[in-house]
Amino acid sequence: MSPYSRITHAAVHLPARRQHVAEIEQLLHHHSPSLNLPTGLLHRTFGLEQRTVADPGDLPCDLAARAATRLLHTAGLDAADIDLILFAAVSADVREPANAHVVAAQTGLSCPAFDIANACNGVINALQVADALIRTGQHRRVLITCGETLTRLSRWTLTRDQLRTGLTSLTGADLGAALLAEASPLPGITGSVFVANSAGWPAATLHDPHHAPGHPQGLHVDSEALLDSFIDLDVQVTQWLKEQRVDVRDLALVCVHQPSVPFTETFRTRMDIDPAQIIPTFPHTGNAAAATLPLQLAHAVRQRRLTPGDTVALFGMASGASAAVMLLRW
């Protein structure tokens, strides 16, 4: 039994295709000409410049498997070295069986597999589960995978009344991500806190068309209500950080869920985070949902911004509403 778990590797698969904001607005105008929206609205509202778009034949698990394969190659590991695989994403190939089985089959893994779902906090919850399983000696290497194809949730046909809850759907991104958590004799994941305000769940919904056919279909996000659902959650998180005697300004890297530039900036200001501590991903990728945090970690590794012993915080936020902080030592 190892007393600690540590994130040792991060990898992403970014599709080559990019959809620039002008193209998105042109498509919206083509499908919803009666809206007559001003040019540049998406950039002014969300800070979006472009988003990543998967090939039509690629499914979420395909993107996740490519990221996982890249991670295994970089880590110098074989499929047999992994003893648990998790899949955590908003997107999914299937509702039955677990998508983790699909990713495992594509990457040649034969270990146990299951999914974890909590909207955009899926990956940080998967890390929570992996940390617990490693600390209790049930697993030694846990591969966490994520595949998002959120561009396919874009609502192109909107009325003026639907614009408030539909515009956000045009910011979603497609990509795959993977993290490896391993048993370690030294502290890696050093602490975490998870809080929720479940009364806020109606603010952002994607109903299952098979099991909730009478509900509005597609992604509906009431941005104002969603922001309100997070009120007091950041207060709880701040209090926890104080109890841990953590000053965010002392951290080498702060990974923050990024559903838009204004949202990220508001959170950064409220938490007194230095802009230099954050790696911006939303403007050139879009809303990567559950893949946002591993995307930032992978960028940090590629840019050599992390060295052994650096302290990192992961701030997760998801519709529901739920929030989380996980403290790491790299």
Side-chain angles (χ1 to χ4, degrees):
M1 183 183 300
S2 174
Y4 305 111
S5 71
R6 176 183 292 274
I7 299 174
T8 57
H9 295 278
V12 291
H13 168 74
L14 292 170
R17 183 185 167 195
R18 298 292 186 273
Q19 191 175 50
H20 292 266
V21 69
E23 181 184 353
I24 299 172
E25 292 184 348
Q26 289 170 3
L27 285 170
L28 179 61
H29 177 71
H30 174 75
H31 291 284
S32 304
S34 63
L35 288 178
N36 194 27
L37 298 176
T39 301
L41 178 64
L42 282 172
H43 178 71
R44 288 194 300 273
T45 304
F46 301 106
L48 182 68
E49 297 180 19
Q50 62 181 13
R51 61 179 182 170
T52 51
V53 181
D55 291 336
D58 283 338
L59 299 181
C61 289
D62 297 322
L63 304 179
R66 287 173 195 157
T69 299
R70 179 172 298 176
L71 184 149
L72 292 173
H73 175 76
T74 301
L77 298 173
D78 296 323
D81 294 320
I82 305 300
D83 57 10
L84 176 66
I85 181 171
L86 306 176
F87 180 89
V90 173
S91 309
D93 288 27
V94 293
R95 295 298 175 192
E96 178 77 18
N99 290 270
H101 290 295
V102 182
V103 180
Q106 292 190 27
T107 51
L109 273 64
S110 58
C111 58
F114 61 91
D115 291 357
I116 292 177
N118 186 19
C120 296
N121 273 351
V123 165
I124 198 167
N125 282 122
L127 283 169
Q128 178 190 21
V129 171
D131 178 53
L133 292 174
I134 290 171
R135 284 174 179 264
T136 54
Q138 298 181 63
H139 294 282
R140 291 192 57 79
R141 285 198 182 100
V142 180
L143 180 61
I144 298 168
T145 64
C146 177
E148 300 286 16
T149 53
L150 299 183
T151 65
R152 294 167 191 175
L153 300 180
S154 300
R155 294 170 59 195
W156 298 111
T157 304
L158 297 171
T159 66
R160 181 67 62 175
D161 291 339
Q162 295 170 334
L163 189 62
R164 186 171 61 88
T165 62
L167 197 61
T168 302
S169 71
L170 304 180
T171 67
D174 302 340
L175 71 158
L179 295 174
L180 183 65
E182 298 188 69
S184 170
L186 299 175
I189 297 177
T190 57
S192 59
V193 64
F194 298 83
V195 296
N197 170 29
S198 297
W201 76 265
T205 58
L206 179 62
H207 286 97
D208 191 308
H210 301 289
H211 300 289
H215 291 268
Q217 297 304 303
L219 180 63
H220 292 255
V221 179
D222 184 331
S223 296
E224 184 177 343
L226 182 59
L227 186 61
D228 288 344
S229 70
F230 287 107
I231 290 178
D232 189 53
L233 295 187
D234 63 334
V235 175
Q236 296 180 55
V237 164
T238 300
Q239 179 60 36
W240 181 80
L241 288 170
K242 288 181 179 178
E243 293 170 358
Q244 307 305 307
R245 297 181 180 179
V246 172
D247 185 341
V248 293
R249 291 280 182 151
D250 295 333
L251 299 169
L253 179 70
V254 178
C255 298
V256 181
H257 179 58
Q258 300 180 25
S260 73
V261 171
F263 187 98
T264 306
E265 182 61 18
T266 298
F267 180 79
R268 184 196 68 76
T269 302
R270 288 177 66 92
M271 297 299 297
D272 193 29
I273 301 169
D274 190 311
Q277 294 175 279
I278 297 176
I279 296 178
T281 56
F282 179 88
H284 296 282
T285 304
N287 185 352
T292 303
L293 297 179
L295 172 64
Q296 291 169 63
L297 283 175
H299 280 335
V301 171
R302 181 176 59 83
Q303 296 169 10
R304 298 185 178 181
R305 287 187 54 167
L306 289 174
T307 57
D310 279 351
T311 52
V312 179
L314 308 181
F315 285 90
M317 288 164 281
S319 58
S322 63
V325 182
M326 182 169 282
L327 299 175
L328 315 173
R329 191 172 296 278
W330 196 252

